[in-house]
Amino acid sequence: QVQLVESGGGLVQPGDSLRLSCTAAGRALSRYTMAWFRQAPGKDREFVAAISRIVSSTDYADSVKGRFTLPRDNSKNTVYLQMNSLKPDDTAAYYCAADNNYYGSKSAEYDYWGQGTQVTVSS
């Protein structure tokens, strides 16, 4: 099994940048597809971005395309979510997820989850 720990959340202003980290313990990150999801109060959990384990293909939700990227550093066993041009609508708890096989946007398909980190975008 792999344990995931997120960090890097906080309070920022609209237009700012923030980088979230998801570090894996227990297994090499390179074994897994990695993804980020987010959940705002009163809303369902939604897909943000994913990176595949083999060729590092990436997929992004339309709402974050062009603003968010998903760098992956296997030597540090860490995947990042680089968030630029943040908007108030990006306010949510952000969760890192991993899976041995699945690559996509369905949260139910991911077997491993972190505890979440809060991102608040407000002036």
Side-chain angles (χ1 to χ4, degrees):
Q1 287 200 356
V2 63
Q3 293 81 43
L4 304 175
V5 178
E6 302 103 329
S7 61
L11 172 63
V12 296
Q13 294 186 339
D16 284 354
S17 296
L18 196 63
R19 188 177 78 166
L20 306 183
S21 299
C22 175
T23 300
R27 292 285 177 90
L29 199 66
S30 57
R31 292 172 173 251
Y32 301 92
T33 289
M34 303 299 298
W36 288 91
F37 291 80
R38 66 186 182 186
Q39 188 167 19
K43 295 187 177 181
D44 293 334
R45 187 168 296 188
E46 66 172 356
F47 171 75
V48 176
I51 183 167
S52 66
R53 68 183 177 93
I54 297 177
V55 296
S56 293
S57 299
T58 53
D59 188 24
Y60 297 93
D62 288 343
S63 58
V64 307
K65 278 181 183 176
R67 299 189 298 123
F68 291 11
T69 59
L70 201 55
R72 179 176 185 151
D73 189 341
N74 288 337
S75 68
K76 295 183 178 180
N77 235 25
T78 299
V79 65
Y80 305 95
L81 184 66
Q82 178 65 45
M83 305 185 291
N84 301 323
S85 303
L86 282 162
K87 306 175 182 179
D89 283 350
D90 295 318
T91 296
Y94 282 72
Y95 297 88
C96 176
D99 196 85
N100 291 99
N101 296 303
Y102 178 74
Y103 169 62
S105 62
K106 297 179 181 179
S107 61
E109 297 292 335
Y110 287 86
D111 285 339
Y112 305 104
W113 290 84
Q115 81 288 351
T117 186
Q118 179 67 34
V119 173
T120 302
V121 185
S122 176
S123 55

